[in-house]
Amino acid sequence: AEHLGEAEIIAIIHKWINDDKATFLLDALENPATTVPDLAEALQRYRAMGVDESTLSRPIQVALRAGLMRRLFTDEIDAVNRAKECVAVETFCGVTQRVIAPPGGRGRLGGKSSGLFLGYHLVQQSPEFADALAGIKTPKTWYVTSDGLLHFIHHNQLEDVYDRKYLELGQIRREYPHLIQLFKQSHFPAELLKGFSMALDDLESRPLIVRSSSLLEDRVGAAFSGKYKSLFLANQGSKRERLAALTDAVAEVYASIFGPDAIEYRTERNLLDMQEEMGIMIQEVVGFRAGDYFLPSYAGVAFSNNEFRWSPRIRREDGLVRLVLGLGTRAVDRVGDDFPALLAPGQPGLRVNASLEETLRYAPRKADDINLKTGAFETVDIARLLGECGAQIPGIEDLVSIVEDESLRRPVGTDFEPADCVVTFEGLINRTPFMSRMNVLLRVLRQKLGVPVDIEFASDGTDFYLLQCRPQSYGPDSAPADIPADIPRERVVFAASRYVSNGRVPDITHVVYVDPARYGELADHESLHEVGRIVGRLNQLLPKRRFILMGPGRWGSRGDIKLGVPVTYSDISNTAALIEIARREGGYQPDLSFGTHFFQDLVEAGIRYLPLYPDDADAVFNEAFLTGSPNVLSELLPDRKQFCETVRVIDVPAAAGGKILRLLMNGDRDRAVAYLGEPG
């Protein structure tokens, strides 16, 4: 009283009173015995008391925010530090009202949930960019805590599945389909079923996506891109049918934690011995109904860093967007028979396809959707979609252009013939704030998170939704390699000058070459799949990071396997480089796969990727070395010698007088060379 006025004293007393009101919540957070339902109850009590967070002392505010982020989402220190600066306690109250947890559950919501939650609130707390980022939303989401998986496994006495991760990879791959069926035929505890039922009531009959959110997922250096399942549900029919479909999907996502790709990925990162827990996100699908189809107007994935610059004027920090019409699955998956639109938000005027011919050739022709009549996830021809219900697609005039007199023009309203349309996104790029928004969004998230980011997004034609936010994958040694100018032509095995990234692979001892012509001659799908299985076996036999894979088209793509060898990450995880060959006569066309889950795997593992166009005037392709060198496939896999004409394994030192193959890649010069040299 000697030093402070009456108003100051009253303000201090009020702050002490408010701090005291919040003490019970702080105690709940600090008590390790507090369950998730207990914490939800404490948060509702806090809300009911009407505590004004701004009147709390700074230490109490920070302690509550950090404790809630750590307790509910993740213990990753960077995420906790950022949450305590931008996420209000009231926000966590809303989250806990949509959490499904087993009795006594103390699990978290996992990496994917954490990334989206934090990314969205960082955007909301960026008033300096309010105009550009106004109206960004996230879909309504329910969460299943990570210990729901443990509860499910214990309830069905499936504890022996934990030991499967130590089996030989081939056995894991063979038995995985049976494990999925085992999980689907198992039963969920009553508490989880009650939570699922509440979620369905809240989400009504809108289509849903069931997404993984493991505790290890979406971290720096461990994105787990595509390793765990995400499944779409039409969510139509009776409540019993919808609940059965939801439990079936959750069980399959749970089973994916024991799949071969996930286990191989964890093995490579020394994460195998950790007990992985899987949270689940049950999320509304962004989109609208058009006829029997449910889909977004557009969706895609975007990255802070652009590693495949198609113009010297594009800088790495100009970013990259992979954009598709319909569900974003075609942006993140490799598809064998279609192309997404590729854009650089920092340079919106520089397109991959400069001419009309290229625009027409590489335009997207298919879209993924949910068929509400059949209840199935499907792929539909865009021409058919436009013909049946093009007028019902919001903003369709910004997504397509009309081909007329060897030029493109903007459609007038929805009065157009689908046969004359091509998807260009021209209006979206030039007549809406989409590109400027993407540019600002990527810059803000990069600045606030302190790392380059990888986001997924979608639009229902009215609103823009953020679907995922995580650190962008990066690989080691991404500096441009110095390529000598005096390499003798006869020692060059191949050289490329299109879409080259940076890196070097110094001592390659083996080349696995899938002959494009022979592969195209294989008559049946079983033989095509067998080529993929052979590659998987060679991946385990050959010296790690000392061999490269070369073959036609788009490796690992979804769709027509004639257009690329059918492999998954575990089939190629030990290679040093993946070379995709495009011959004009074969019809093989590599996709600029940067941004797909498949490519993110290569980046994280330090596997170099290179599209090779042998028919280009400045390309070098020493086919005689690849087809004329001795083939050691029959020595490595005697039971598959009948595929020696299709799959060639070259022991480089034996075939080249003791030399090894050296691959140098310089993205700044857009040049890559693989040549025979003396061992380092």
Side-chain angles (χ1 to χ4, degrees):
E2 294 179 11
H3 300 283
L4 301 178
E6 182 178 338
E8 291 175 293
I9 293 172
I10 291 173
I12 290 172
I13 291 173
H14 275 239
K15 191 173 288 290
W16 287 342
I17 291 171
N18 281 325
D19 283 357
D20 189 59
K21 286 181 181 179
T23 301
F24 75 93
L25 180 55
L26 201 56
D27 290 342
L29 287 168
E30 293 174 350
N31 185 352
T34 301
T35 66
V36 172
D38 290 340
L39 187 57
E41 185 178 337
L43 278 166
Q44 292 313 304
R45 178 183 166 193
Y46 170 91
R47 173 184 272 180
M49 291 173 67
V51 178
D52 182 354
E53 187 177 346
S54 65
T55 66
L56 298 176
S57 64
R58 176 65 177 169
I60 296 294
Q61 286 186 40
V62 170
L64 289 176
R65 293 174 176 184
L68 286 165
M69 188 68 185
R70 185 171 55 248
R71 183 64 188 78
L72 283 173
F73 284 96
T74 179
D75 58 1
E76 194 172 23
I77 192 63
D78 286 341
V80 173
N81 284 337
R82 286 172 173 80
K84 69 187 183 186
E85 300 299 327
C86 72
V87 186
V89 174
E90 174 67 21
T91 303
F92 292 98
C93 295
V95 170
T96 55
Q97 294 305 291
R98 298 190 302 276
V99 170
I100 302 167
R106 298 182 180 85
R108 296 188 176 101
L109 306 187
K112 194 170 289 180
S113 301
S114 171
L116 178 58
F117 176 81
L118 185 57
Y120 173 72
H121 287 287
L122 288 171
V123 169
Q124 298 303 305
Q125 295 299 317
S126 302
E128 67 273 32
F129 298 106
D131 291 342
L133 302 180
I136 291 180
K137 298 181 177 182
T138 57
K140 182 185 287 188
T141 305
W142 279 70
Y143 308 90
V144 184
T145 56
S146 58
D147 52 357
L149 169 65
L150 308 181
H151 202 55
F152 171 81
I153 287 175
H154 178 70
H155 183 76
N156 292 283
Q157 299 181 329
L158 298 173
E159 283 82 359
D160 60 328
V161 298
Y162 291 121
D163 299 329
R164 296 183 54 79
K165 60 189 179 184
Y166 298 114
L167 296 175
E168 187 267 332
L169 191 62
Q171 183 177 352
I172 293 172
R173 184 179 289 107
R174 289 191 299 272
E175 296 179 1
Y176 178 51
H178 304 291
L179 182 70
I180 293 175
Q181 290 306 311
L182 174 63
F183 271 54
K184 286 185 171 186
Q185 292 163 8
S186 298
H187 303 285
F188 280 87
E191 299 84 359
L192 293 183
L193 286 174
K194 180 181 177 181
F196 294 155
S197 179
M198 292 172 60
L200 288 176
D201 289 341
D202 183 46
L203 297 168
E204 299 175 322
S205 57
R206 284 184 63 86
L208 306 175
I209 180 171
V210 179
R211 310 185 76 184
S212 68
S213 183
S214 84
L215 295 188
L216 297 177
E217 204 167 353
D218 284 8
R219 297 183 178 225
V220 175
F224 283 83
S225 303
K227 298 298 170 294
Y228 301 133
K229 290 285 185 71
S230 291
L231 299 170
F232 289 96
L233 301 176
N235 195 29
Q236 305 294 298
S238 68
K239 176 71 174 293
R240 180 185 295 273
E241 292 170 332
R242 293 159 57 213
L243 183 59
L246 177 58
T247 55
D248 198 61
V250 173
E252 187 167 346
V253 174
Y254 278 163
S256 67
I257 209 168
F258 303 103
D261 284 354
I263 288 174
E264 177 77 356
Y265 188 90
R266 289 164 59 197
T267 300
E268 288 195 338
R269 285 154 184 78
N270 295 317
L271 299 172
L272 192 62
D273 295 324
M274 297 181 66
Q275 179 164 302
E276 172 74 298
E277 293 183 24
M278 173 72 77
I280 296 285
M281 302 169 71
I282 304 170
Q283 203 170 60
E284 283 185 339
V285 176
V286 173
F288 53 86
R289 179 165 189 161
D292 292 330
Y293 309 109
F294 190 94
L295 70 167
S297 290
Y298 62 85
V301 61
F303 300 86
S304 296
N305 287 347
N306 187 338
E307 302 296 346
F308 279 100
R309 299 180 289 281
W310 50 87
S311 166
R313 292 165 56 193
I314 294 177
R315 301 163 300 174
R316 193 168 187 248
E317 59 271 23
D318 284 328
L320 176 74
V321 172
R322 289 174 65 90
L323 187 66
V324 297
L325 190 152
L327 296 171
T329 43
R330 298 185 79 78
V332 298
D333 292 344
R334 298 206 79 194
V335 290
D337 54 355
D338 206 8
F339 299 88
L342 298 179
L343 309 168
Q347 296 281 358
L350 297 179
R351 308 292 178 79
V352 178
N353 305 315
S355 68
L356 175 63
E357 180 185 359
E358 289 177 332
T359 299
L360 297 178
R361 180 177 181 184
Y362 298 120
R365 285 178 168 75
K366 297 183 179 181
D368 286 349
D369 69 272
I370 299 170
N371 189 311
L372 297 178
K373 184 176 181 179
T374 64
F377 169 89
E378 66 177 16
T379 299
V380 62
D381 288 333
I382 289 176
R384 175 185 165 189
L385 176 69
L386 296 177
E388 293 181 11
C389 48
Q392 300 174 46
I393 299 176
I396 187 63
E397 64 276 9
D398 288 330
L399 308 180
V400 301
S401 298
I402 305 298
V403 183
E404 185 177 271
D405 298 328
E406 297 187 359
S407 65
L408 298 174
R409 68 167 177 84
R410 180 185 181 183
V412 179
T414 58
D415 186 18
F416 53 77
E417 289 297 325
D420 298 331
C421 286
V422 60
V423 175
T424 61
F425 301 106
E426 196 67 30
L428 184 69
I429 296 166
N430 293 322
R431 296 189 296 273
T432 77
F434 171 75
M435 289 296 278
S436 59
R437 167 178 278 176
M438 292 303 305
N439 193 31
V440 172
L441 181 58
L442 290 171
R443 286 195 288 112
V444 166
L445 288 172
R446 179 177 193 152
Q447 176 189 345
K448 300 277 186 177
L449 290 170
V451 293
V453 296
D454 159 359
I455 65 172
E456 292 180 18
F457 60 88
S459 173
D460 58 8
T462 302
D463 295 313
F464 181 94
Y465 288 80
L466 184 64
L467 306 180
Q468 182 167 298
C469 177
R470 63 185 175 194
Q472 184 174 345
S473 300
Y474 63 91
D477 186 26
S478 58
D482 184 23
I483 301 176
D486 56 351
I487 302 173
R489 173 92 178 196
E490 64 274 11
R491 288 170 57 182
V492 175
V493 176
F494 60 83
S497 57
R498 293 170 66 179
Y499 313 123
V500 176
S501 59
N502 291 326
R504 59 188 296 127
V505 185
D507 292 306
I508 301 165
T509 61
H510 291 78
V511 175
V512 178
Y513 176 65
V514 179
D515 189 300
R518 298 291 186 179
Y519 184 80
E521 292 170 359
L522 294 176
D524 59 279
H525 270 222
E526 178 56 31
S527 295
L528 295 169
H529 279 291
E530 187 57 38
V531 171
R533 288 191 284 267
I534 289 171
V535 169
R537 291 175 65 183
L538 292 171
N539 183 64
Q540 301 300 318
L541 291 173
L542 294 173
K544 185 174 182 178
R545 300 292 186 268
R546 300 290 299 277
F547 71 95
I548 64 172
L549 295 172
M550 301 181 66
R554 308 180 195 181
W555 289 66
S557 62
R558 170 165 65 92
D560 187 356
I561 61 176
K562 289 284 283 187
L563 301 179
V565 181
V567 292
T568 63
Y569 174 72
S570 60
D571 296 316
I572 63 167
S573 59
N574 292 329
T575 189
L578 181 67
I579 317 299
E580 296 190 329
I581 303 170
R583 301 304 299 259
R584 290 196 186 114
E585 67 270 18
Y588 294 114
Q589 186 66 43
D591 174 30
L592 283 183
S593 63
F594 181 74
T596 63
H597 289 159
F598 185 84
F599 185 81
Q600 298 303 88
D601 289 339
L602 304 185
V603 170
E604 285 188 355
I607 298 170
R608 305 303 172 193
Y609 166 78
L610 182 69
L612 181 61
Y613 300 81
D615 301 312
D616 283 0
D618 57 351
V620 178
F621 187 62
N622 189 347
E623 194 168 12
F625 176 80
L626 297 170
T627 59
S629 298
N631 186 357
V632 299
L633 176 66
S634 59
E635 299 173 22
L636 296 169
L637 298 174
D639 58 333
R640 291 295 179 268
K641 60 184 179 182
Q642 68 270 31
F643 284 89
C644 282
E645 294 296 318
T646 303
V647 182
R648 304 187 58 82
V649 183
I650 302 167
D651 182 330
V652 177
K659 293 182 174 62
I660 47 83
L661 189 66
R662 188 168 287 125
L663 173 60
L664 304 177
M665 302 170 63
N666 190 312
D668 296 344
R669 294 173 52 193
D670 210 14
R671 185 70 175 165
V673 176
Y675 67 97
L676 300 172
E678 301 300 328

